[in-house]
Amino acid sequence: MSEAVKGKVKSSGNMLKIIIIFMLILLLIGGAGFGGYYIASKSAPKANTGNSVSEKDNTEEAFYEAGEFVVNLADEGSKRYLKVKLVLGYNSKNKKLTDELEKKNTVIADSIISTLRIKKTADLSTATGPEELKQELIARINATLSLGKISNVYYNDFFIQ
């Protein structure tokens, strides 16, 4: 073998060793980063994700399907409508409220429709629009109830056309 070929074999062998060492270092750094992230995420306090347990009173939430509503929106000059399917959340220990929701389903539906019909597309198309609508619905529905209060409104469907 000539000296030039021996030099290339030696330098490519050294280059291969450097690449392997570099890859091992990257693997160690990545593993350490993942391990640190994993440990930090396990020990971090959990945020309230809106699950079925309320942090305030630590009770389970019951659900009442209010139904599906299709209403014309209050946009002038255009025929826009909102289709929404709502579920109401409340304290599951309040059995009287369960009965009241069943008995007053027509009054609750009327309250929901009245609230939805005065909305415009611009009101609901913002980032906070649907959340503001939830708060308004909670207030309007709770005004019709006497044996308890609903705590949440959930959208199973929310469609503007």
Side-chain angles (χ1 to χ4, degrees), residues 79-123:
K79 295 187 181 211
R80 305 288 304 256
Y81 71 89
L82 170 68
K83 177 183 172 188
V84 64
K85 187 172 182 181
L86 298 175
V87 176
L88 310 178
Y90 61 97
N91 185 336
S92 65
K93 292 183 180 178
N94 190 345
K95 300 298 180 196
K96 291 180 181 179
L97 182 57
T98 303
D99 294 337
E100 184 178 22
L101 288 170
E102 289 294 330
K103 288 178 184 173
K104 291 187 174 181
N105 64 349
T106 304
V107 175
I108 292 168
D110 180 64
S111 182
I112 292 169
I113 291 170
S114 298
T115 304
L116 297 177
R117 290 190 64 212
I118 61 173
K119 296 297 176 186
K120 295 183 179 181
T121 304
D123 299 334

Side-chain angles (χ1 to χ4, degrees), residues 27-48:
L27 186 63
L28 285 173
I29 291 172
F34 175 76
Y37 174 77
Y38 182 76
I39 290 170
S41 67
K42 287 289 185 182
S43 63
K46 300 291 183 202
N48 186 4

